[in-house]
Amino acid sequence: MFRKFKQIRKLENSKLADDEFYETDENDRGIIDVGAENYDDIFSYYDLNGENVLDSEFSEFLDKKATAIPQKVELALHFHVKDANEEKCEEIDKAIKNNYKRELRAINRQLHRNSLNTIYLLAMGLVAFGIYILLYLLNAYFIATYIFDLIAWVFLWEVVNNHFIVRPKMQDRRLQMYRFVRADIEVFEYEKKSRDNHKKGRILKKG
């Protein structure tokens, strides 16, 4: 049993060590390679405004790739498409920037609401705590004192949860969106590559 557990841990550690490495370009940007044999697969089929909105599954793919690269590292998105040209590069660049700018605006609104909710919850918690102290000093019924004590701690816990747990996650997400907005985008001619077939000039770094 213990031998099997050690083998599993060894495999997990080996995989984690492999995942710590990422490729960089000559400007030390972390590279995300995107193979899009069908160019239209990058964009959503439901967009009617001709703005080339990113496909939702494709956005998820980018997010997962970006999480493997330390947040302090800027991103370089390398798209490999058939019949690569400057026009396609501009279309992809516009779609990427517009997509993540929209997400940035949404996250900023969420952060604003989070701040307002935290202030409201803190005020309600302090009021409930003040009533609890007053009831305690007046030797009020135990059940009334207990109820306001419980209410106060519920509100104050929500303050802690909002400010120290929920908010940092949203801030991390916002930083991720900023990286995509600032990302360097290049387009290359599509070709299937093996895992070991890296582009010339790339550097393998450890996170």
Side-chain angles (χ1 to χ4, degrees):
M1 178 178 176
F2 289 107
R3 181 180 298 176
K4 185 177 181 180
F5 176 75
K6 288 181 178 179
Q7 289 175 342
I8 293 172
R9 292 296 301 170
K10 186 176 180 180
L11 287 171
E12 288 178 347
N13 291 334
S14 176
K15 184 178 185 304
L16 288 172
D18 290 340
D19 290 344
E20 287 179 344
F21 290 92
Y22 61 96
E23 289 181 305
T24 63
D25 61 13
E26 63 276 5
N27 295 317
D28 287 331
R29 291 175 179 265
I31 296 173
I32 296 178
D33 274 318
V34 180
E37 185 174 4
N38 185 355
Y39 175 71
D40 292 332
D41 288 344
I42 298 173
F43 308 109
S44 173
Y45 293 104
Y46 303 104
D47 177 51
L48 293 176
N49 298 320
E51 295 180 354
N52 284 341
V53 175
L54 294 184
D55 178 74
S56 58
E57 290 186 6
F58 173 66
S59 294
E60 291 178 8
F61 167 80
L62 287 181
D63 290 342
K64 288 180 181 179
K65 286 290 187 177
T67 56
I69 301 173
Q71 286 198 347
K72 63 183 179 180
V73 179
E74 296 290 336
L75 299 177
L77 308 183
H78 289 182
F79 287 82
H80 302 263
V81 301
K82 283 190 173 181
D83 302 319
N85 55 46
E86 189 66 27
E87 182 182 353
K88 288 183 177 180
C89 185
E90 290 177 0
E91 286 180 353
I92 293 172
D93 184 84
K94 182 180 178 181
I96 292 286
K97 301 301 167 62
N98 287 344
N99 181 80
Y100 290 106
K101 282 179 181 177
R102 283 194 297 269
E103 289 209 33
L104 271 175
R105 288 193 290 270
I107 291 173
N108 286 333
R109 287 194 295 269
Q110 291 173 11
L111 284 168
H112 179 67
R113 287 196 297 269
N114 176 270
S115 297
L116 294 178
N117 287 339
T118 300
I119 293 171
Y120 170 77
L121 291 168
L122 179 60
M124 295 299 294
L126 292 175
V127 169
F129 196 66
I131 294 174
Y132 158 74
I133 292 175
L134 180 62
L135 293 173
Y136 180 82
L137 293 175
L138 295 175
N139 292 319
Y141 289 111
F142 170 76
I143 187 66
T145 306
Y146 175 77
I147 288 173
F148 277 97
D149 181 28
L150 182 62
I151 291 172
W153 284 112
V154 167
F155 276 114
L156 293 176
W157 165 248
E158 284 300 315
V159 170
V160 172
N161 180 62
N162 264 20
H163 191 71
F164 295 103
I165 299 176
V166 175
R167 190 176 184 84
K169 290 180 180 179
M170 288 192 290
Q171 289 173 328
D172 286 343
R173 180 65 179 167
R174 181 171 64 174
L175 180 57
Q176 185 82 293
M177 298 304 99
Y178 273 125
R179 289 209 297 168
F180 280 115
V181 170
R182 296 193 302 261
D184 180 66
I185 295 175
E186 294 185 62
V187 171
F188 302 91
E189 187 62 32
Y190 179 85
E191 62 174 339
K192 287 192 175 183
K193 301 185 302 175
S194 67
R195 185 178 295 273
D196 298 324
N197 182 20
H198 301 299
K199 281 188 169 291
K200 184 179 180 181
R202 290 187 182 181
I203 304 169
L204 202 61
K205 285 198 171 183
K206 189 175 182 179

